[in-house]
Amino acid sequence: MLLVEIIYKMIKVWVLVIVMFYNGFPSKGTSNSNNVTRPSTVNIGAIFSFNSTIGGVAKIAIQAAVDDINSNATILNGTKFNISMQDTKFSPGFLGIIDSLILMEKGTVAIIGPQYSEMAHVISHIANEMQVPLLSFAATDPTLTSLQFPYFVRTTQSDLYQMSAVADIVSHFQWRDVIAIFIDDDHGRNGVTALGDKLAEKRCKISYKAPIKPNNISQEEITNALIKVALMESKVIVLHLLPDFGLRVLKIAQSLGMIKSGYAWIVTDWLSTILDSNPSLLLSTSSTMNDMQGVITLRMYTPNSEIKRNFMSRWKTNLTHVNDDHHLGLNIFGLYAYDTVWTLAYALDAFFRSGGTLKFSNDSSLNTLRGDSDTLHLDTMGVFLNGDMLLQKILEVNRTGLTGRTEFAQDGNLIQSSYEIINVIGTGVRRIGFWSNSFGLHTGEQVSNDANSSEGLYSVIWPGQTTQTPRGWVFASNGRHLRIGVPLRVTYHEFVSRIEGTDMLFGGYCIDVFIAALNVLPYTIPYKFVPFGDGRTDPVVSELLEQITIGAFDAVIGDITITTNRSKIVDFTQPYIESGLVVVAPIKELKSSAWAFLIPFTPMMWFVTGMLFLIVGVVVWILERPFNDDFRGPIRRQLVTIIWFSFSTLVFAHKEKTVSTLGRLVLIIWLFVVLILSSSYTASLTSILTVEKLSSPVKGIESLVINNDRIGIMSGTYAENYLSEVFNIHRSRLVPFNSLSEFEKALKDGQDNGGVAAIIAERAYMELFLSTRCQFGIVGQEFTKMGWGFAFPRDSPLAIDMSTAILKLSENGDLQRIHDKWLTRSACSSEGAKQGIDRLETKSFWGLFLLIGIACFIALLCYLIRMTYRFRRHYYSNSTNLEVPSSSSSSCSSCLKSFFSFVNEKEK
């Protein structure tokens, strides 16, 4: 009989759909069937599955809310709720449509439900046409929005916020990839889509999606889906199912060894709903609790309040004893179902107070659907003419209920959304934090007011009874060593070289950095080095990286430059050394001139400066002569005073006093000018004598671009494509070389002798090349900013962990120590050579020394001639008083003594 009844209902529904398709849905305003402003009863409906985990609790909560409202005459001023509950029997589609039509023919003004998101999508179309608001306490699908379904009002929290909380948890524990296991319906698919969007905002992603059939799924199908998940690298699993069969998935996962150390399970709020609805689970030691040890689940947060405590007390005493042997626990959806009825009551009260009436329109096109059965009377269905007014009153409700503040946003969702983060431990649960759409993850219930609250979460006990946060991923093939590709270089063995007498042992700067980074990781990675190349020429980097894409290597290390094209096929780590392109060319040092002290000033500057000294001396002489005896006297003395005074101001050593005000003013300004001139001269001369001057016909990449000189490059590197594509240098000008000796010979030969004008290569190579070849140098600026990194397959989590390890090596100084071990040389770049360059030498000043020597010699010579001339005059004038010496020797000795005595006398 039940089958016949269902078939009969299906036929009538399809007839209704056909008639509506050809004649359209009933329009507004045709007739009124009820003109009572404040009726004695109001018909409301409820659609959910009575025997489900959520529906069983919701049925009791809704009936309790209706009883409380009807017993309180102040709520609706005497109007009573007449509620009709329809059981969908776990059918999210067809029976929900039938039940909604049954409610519509009874003049229902609002429907509480439906429970399932998939059913909400279907019934919302009918609600739109009949203008009957749907208030769902359990449909959390984020795509149920007011844009498509304006009469759908979500009185619970949207999965959009729950997925934001899950994404924040993933980001908090620094995971990058997750696996999503979800029910393959609107609820599951749309929830996982929202999760993917929220993870993308955190630079994370869903690496694998495992859908599960919503109905009649066998244990074998679940097992096969979980086996595929177990083979994935990611071990962070998000489980987004329905409460009715979610425990089956956890039980099978436990049997497959997937709930153990190394895994992280994040379960959406369906698990907390089961635990709240079945308190006996938390008191038992059955295998059910063992299947969920260490998982993290979420629960919609409702603040503690007096009315909530009173309702929970009523629930335990007399509300849940449906059967003598069964006791239902109050879950969060029961609280929202209770508040939903009260929200509708307050909205209807405001509706009636605003003059709203219960008016429905009839449409003659529905008369053809009249049948003999009393089960379904589709011809009596009508459009609720004031449905939009009631909808607006619902959205305007602002009250505090069991779940806290009920206030709707414009999109029909609750404004405040919060979740508890729960860790399942032993036979109980432990709250490790909260999440809210305003503050994210935090440890206090009210983060804005709680002084003990902080960002993040408390510690978690993970599967396997460990407090160590799971890494979140493992290698897909456990037990196999990672194959690390290493290039067999024939040059620059300081970077990568094979140790003599071995096949798989390598050394060098790149190898040491890689091993040091592995040692920093919090886990051990088995690996082996695999050489690549023939050992006669340096391997081509692009061919080496292609081995990753075909699966021959799990990673590639060495002197590999990170470029845009290479990043399209592999993932690189953080650069561990910077190595942009530079230009190397022959250089020669410019020798310092003996007259270098004249270079700071131009000839015109010297002339102007000297003339200014003389002019200032004349001006001061003119200003001081009338008052100052130091500037008076014979003409010769005055000329000497002018010259001496003006040039002595250069070193602020003038002894003449200035007594006139104008003279002092001119002198102050002049001394300031002299200070600036002397300081500028000193700085310029210091720079000229201490900075090493190098000269090269090549000035940098710009000069190479505009001429036709040949340019040397390293074979097998990206330099050839870069120079030809970016700088439009013809490939015929680019000459590849394979060894350092070829570099050196080509630079020595030069452009005119079959060599090259310059070499363009990466700085790291050229610094080693130049460390023992002082006749060459880097000219111009480094014109690219690139670096070397280790290469891994796309989306490899090891690349992220290795990048973090490289940053730690840089911060603690180990990276610099490895650099100094392999790449520091003591030839041209040694500290002693640098000190020799910066030291001033005598040859730079011999011109000044010669001038002062000549001046001193001439002054002494003039002084000696003058004194000899005066002594002769003095000697001959007194010769009559001198005795004749007995011999010539005594005569010379007496003469010298007389001369020194004469010089020692003070002149008058």
Side-chain angles (χ1 to χ4, degrees):
M1 292 299 295
L2 178 62
L3 180 60
V4 173
E5 182 179 350
I6 292 176
I7 295 175
Y8 177 74
K9 289 183 179 181
M10 289 179 62
I11 294 173
K12 299 194 73 173
V13 168
W14 282 111
V15 172
L16 171 64
V17 172
I18 294 172
V19 171
M20 288 183 175
F21 178 78
Y22 283 101
N23 300 286
F25 283 94
S27 58
K28 298 181 181 180
T30 56
S31 64
N32 297 335
S33 61
N34 194 345
N35 293 320
V36 181
T37 303
R38 205 39 110 148
S40 60
T41 61
V42 176
N43 294 331
I44 62 173
I47 300 176
F48 51 88
S49 177
F50 291 173
N51 295 324
S52 65
T53 301
I54 294 176
V57 176
K59 180 180 180 181
I60 301 173
I62 291 174
Q63 188 60 58
V66 171
D67 294 342
D68 291 345
I69 293 171
N70 288 339
S71 62
N72 190 340
T74 61
I75 302 300
L76 291 173
N77 294 322
T79 302
K80 304 294 184 179
F81 269 168
N82 181 22
I83 186 166
S84 176
M85 298 187 187
Q86 299 293 327
D87 186 7
T88 60
K89 302 181 183 299
F90 295 99
S91 173
F94 173 72
L95 290 183
I97 298 174
I98 298 298
D99 291 336
S100 64
L101 294 177
I102 293 175
L103 293 176
M104 295 296 181
E105 72 180 16
K106 295 179 180 180
T108 301
V109 298
I111 297 177
I112 298 174
Q115 173 183 340
Y116 300 105
S117 297
E118 184 176 359
M119 185 186 299
H121 279 277
V122 177
I123 299 180
S124 291
H125 290 285
I126 301 176
N128 287 351
E129 297 298 334
M130 297 303 175
Q131 300 181 24
V132 175
L134 291 179
L135 291 81
S136 178
F137 58 89
T140 57
D141 180 2
T143 63
L144 289 167
T145 63
S146 60
L147 295 177
Q148 183 181 9
F149 308 116
Y151 283 86
F152 176 83
V153 180
R154 194 195 320 271
T155 58
T156 187
Q157 300 181 30
S158 171
D159 274 345
L160 180 65
Y161 299 111
Q162 181 172 207
M163 295 310 171
S164 296
V166 173
D168 280 354
I169 294 173
V170 172
S171 177
H172 173 74
F173 292 110
Q174 299 181 359
W175 297 319
R176 290 293 175 265
D177 295 348
V178 303
I179 294 176
I181 302 176
F182 60 96
I183 186 169
D184 193 14
D185 62 3
D186 291 340
H187 169 74
R189 288 191 300 269
N190 296 331
V192 169
T193 300
L195 174 62
D197 295 339
K198 294 301 179 181
L199 287 174
E201 295 176 3
K202 305 292 182 181
R203 302 184 67 181
C204 308
K205 70 178 188 310
I206 300 176
S207 59
Y208 179 74
K209 295 180 180 180
I212 293 181
K213 188 170 63 174
N215 297 316
N216 301 322
I217 186 170
S218 64
Q219 181 172 344
E220 182 181 1
E221 290 174 319
I222 297 176
T223 302
N224 293 335
L226 291 178
I227 289 175
K228 293 180 181 180
V229 171
L231 296 176
M232 299 295 161
E233 289 186 356
S234 177
K235 298 304 174 185
V236 181
I237 301 173
V238 177
L239 198 58
H240 185 50
L241 302 173
L242 293 176
D244 304 305
F245 66 93
L247 292 180
R248 292 179 57 196
V249 177
L250 286 177
K251 184 176 183 61
I252 296 174
Q254 173 70 23
S255 65
L256 293 176
M258 297 177 63
I259 304 181
K260 64 179 182 179
S261 180
Y263 280 85
W265 288 79
I266 303 175
V267 182
T268 52
D269 56 7
W270 64 264
L271 180 57
S272 63
T273 302
I274 291 178
L275 296 177
D276 293 338
S277 304
N278 298 276
S280 59
L281 289 176
L282 300 176
L283 300 177
S284 66
T285 57
S286 63
S287 60
T288 302
M289 288 302 295
N290 293 331
D291 296 339
M292 60 183 76
Q293 291 298 304
V295 306
I296 293 177
T297 186
L298 291 86
R299 177 197 288 146
M300 297 181 193
Y301 171 70
T302 57
N304 291 321
S305 62
E306 186 66 25
I307 58 175
K308 178 181 176 181
R309 286 190 292 269
N310 292 337
F311 183 77
M312 294 180 68
S313 177
R314 290 173 55 197
W315 186 274
K316 292 179 181 179
T317 56
N318 55 14
L319 288 180
T320 60
H321 293 285
V322 180
N323 299 318
D324 294 336
D325 58 347
H326 182 65
H327 181 82
L328 282 176
L330 178 61
N331 59 45
I332 197 67
F333 291 100
L335 297 177
Y336 276 107
Y338 183 88
D339 277 355
T340 299
V341 180
W342 277 87
T343 298
L344 179 58
Y346 276 94
L348 277 171
D349 182 61
F351 171 79
F352 290 136
R353 283 189 282 105
S354 300
T357 58
L358 304 182
K359 295 181 180 180
F360 295 86
S361 67
N362 295 324
D363 196 317
S364 58
S365 61
L366 296 177
N367 293 331
T368 57
L369 301 179
R370 180 178 302 158
D372 296 332
S373 175
D374 297 331
T375 304
L376 202 61
H377 302 280
L378 300 181
D379 57 315
T380 63
M381 292 174 55
V383 176
F384 183 21
L385 298 181
N386 288 327
D388 54 348
M389 182 179 178
L390 177 59
L391 174 64
Q392 186 62 34
K393 296 302 178 182
I394 294 174
L395 296 177
E396 292 176 357
V397 170
N398 188 346
R399 61 177 295 270
T400 300
L402 301 182
T403 59
R405 175 63 59 182
T406 299
E407 186 177 2
F408 296 98
Q410 293 297 323
D411 58 357
N413 289 319
L414 294 176
I415 291 180
Q416 294 295 332
S417 294
S418 300
Y419 286 86
E420 297 177 74
I421 315 299
I422 298 172
N423 187 200
V424 180
I425 305 171
T427 58
V429 295
R430 171 175 169 262
R431 188 167 60 193
I432 59 176
F434 299 86
W435 180 92
S436 66
N437 58 340
S438 301
F439 303 101
L441 295 175
H442 53 276
T443 57
E445 292 191 28
Q446 300 294 331
V447 68
S448 58
N449 300 322
D450 191 352
N452 296 324
S453 177
S454 61
E455 295 182 358
L457 300 172
Y458 291 120
S459 60
V460 180
I461 297 180
W462 302 98
Q465 300 297 314
T466 178
T467 57
Q468 183 177 358
T469 302
R471 186 171 76 223
W473 64 274
V474 296
F475 296 107
S477 300
N478 293 328
R480 180 178 64 83
H481 285 64
L482 257 70
R483 296 160 298 180
I484 310 298
V486 182
L488 280 178
R489 295 198 59 89
V490 297
T491 59
Y492 294 108
H493 292 155
E494 293 85 354
F495 296 112
V496 177
S497 63
R498 184 161 57 184
I499 299 176
E500 295 295 334
T502 63
D503 293 331
M504 298 298 180
L505 296 180
F506 289 82
Y509 172 72
C510 301
I511 303 298
D512 282 4
V513 172
F514 178 75
I515 295 176
L518 288 181
N519 294 333
V520 173
L521 296 178
Y523 48 87
T524 302
I525 296 179
Y527 67 93
K528 63 178 180 180
F529 292 132
V530 181
F532 180 82
D534 55 11
R536 296 185 298 272
T537 59
D538 291 334
V540 180
V541 176
S542 59
E543 296 177 359
L544 178 59
L545 295 178
E546 286 177 0
Q547 301 302 307
I548 295 180
T549 61
I550 64 176
F553 293 150
D554 299 308
V556 167
I557 66 175
D559 48 340
I560 303 173
T561 304
I562 303 173
T563 64
T564 302
N565 290 333
R566 295 172 182 175
S567 297
K568 294 178 181 179
I569 60 174
V570 297
D571 279 351
F572 284 99
T573 62
Q574 172 81 13
Y576 58 87
I577 187 175
E578 292 185 359
S579 184
L581 292 177
V582 293
V583 178
V584 174
I587 59 173
K588 61 179 180 179
E589 183 179 354
L590 296 178
K591 302 299 182 180
S592 181
S593 171
W595 304 99
F597 67 92
L598 296 175
I599 297 177
F601 287 169
T602 62
M604 180 57 69
M605 182 66 179
W606 281 113
F607 174 76
V608 171
T609 302
M611 293 302 298
L612 283 175
F613 275 101
L614 294 177
I615 292 173
V616 170
V618 172
V619 171
V620 173
W621 172 73
I622 294 174
L623 296 175
E624 291 291 323
R625 187 173 180 276
F627 314 101
N628 197 337
D629 291 338
D630 291 339
F631 292 89
R632 300 180 65 87
I635 297 299
R636 186 179 64 178
R637 179 191 174 193
Q638 294 183 45
L639 290 175
V640 172
T641 300
I642 291 173
I643 297 174
W644 158 255
F645 177 83
S646 59
F647 285 96
S648 63
T649 57
L650 179 63
V651 292
F652 309 101
H654 51 282
K655 65 178 182 177
E656 292 79 8
K657 297 181 179 180
T658 53
V659 297
S660 68
T661 303
L662 294 176
R664 291 178 176 179
L665 179 61
V666 171
L667 184 60
I668 289 174
I669 297 174
W670 173 243
L671 290 178
F672 178 74
V673 174
V674 170
L675 176 63
I676 299 300
L677 289 175
S678 60
S679 300
S680 302
Y681 176 84
T682 302
S684 179
L685 183 61
T686 302
S687 175
I688 291 172
L689 297 179
T690 58
V691 176
E692 184 180 15
K693 293 295 187 295
L694 303 176
S695 175
S696 173
V698 179
K699 304 303 179 184
I701 184 63
E702 294 81 6
S703 63
L704 290 175
V705 170
I706 61 177
N707 58 34
N708 293 319
D709 295 341
R710 289 188 298 274
I711 303 171
I713 58 173
M714 290 186 61
S715 61
T717 63
Y718 72 99
E720 181 177 1
N721 292 332
Y722 184 84
L723 294 174
S724 61
E725 294 174 2
V726 176
F727 292 100
N728 295 321
I729 298 177
H730 200 274
R731 293 181 183 269
S732 60
R733 295 175 53 195
L734 303 177
V735 183
F737 296 107
N738 295 314
S739 65
L740 302 182
S741 58
E742 293 179 358
F743 274 172
E744 184 175 6
K745 182 178 183 302
L747 287 174
K748 286 182 177 180
D749 292 342
Q751 173 74 17
D752 298 333
N753 298 319
V756 295
I759 296 289
I760 295 181
E762 296 181 59
R763 177 179 287 276
Y765 299 123
M766 291 299 97
E767 287 180 350
L768 278 178
F769 175 76
L770 298 174
S771 62
T772 55
R773 296 168 177 83
C774 304
Q775 68 272 33
F776 310 117
I778 296 175
V779 296
Q781 298 294 324
E782 184 176 351
F783 55 92
T784 61
K785 289 294 183 181
M786 297 183 178
W788 293 353
F790 303 131
F792 292 88
R794 295 299 302 269
D795 300 327
S796 171
L798 186 56
I800 300 174
D801 290 351
M802 287 293 287
S803 295
T804 304
I806 291 172
L807 290 176
K808 291 181 180 179
L809 292 177
S810 177
E811 292 171 356
N812 61 26
D814 289 344
L815 198 60
Q816 184 62 42
R817 283 188 284 272
I818 298 174
H819 179 277
D820 296 340
K821 172 186 174 182
W822 289 98
L823 306 182
T824 299
R825 295 295 180 265
S826 59
C828 297
S829 59
S830 65
E831 187 65 23
K834 185 68 173 64
Q835 292 177 355
I837 293 173
D838 293 342
R839 187 175 293 117
L840 297 177
E841 298 180 359
T842 307
K843 62 182 180 180
S844 298
F845 297 94
W846 74 267
L848 281 176
F849 297 158
L850 178 62
L851 285 179
I852 192 63
I854 292 174
C856 292
F857 175 77
I858 294 175
L860 288 175
L861 181 61
C862 293
Y863 177 76
L864 182 60
I865 293 173
R866 176 174 172 272
M867 295 305 295
T868 302
Y869 174 74
R870 293 185 61 205
F871 176 73
R872 285 173 59 93
R873 291 183 58 188
H874 175 75
Y875 180 79
Y876 284 114
S877 63
N878 297 318
S879 60
T880 56
N881 298 325
L882 297 175
E883 295 181 358
V884 179
S886 59
S887 64
S888 60
S889 59
S890 60
S891 175
C892 290
S893 176
S894 175
C895 182
L896 288 175
K897 290 181 178 180
S898 299
F899 177 75
F900 286 119
S901 297
F902 176 78
V903 171
N904 194 40
E905 292 179 357
K906 183 179 180 180
E907 294 187 26
K908 296 181 181 180

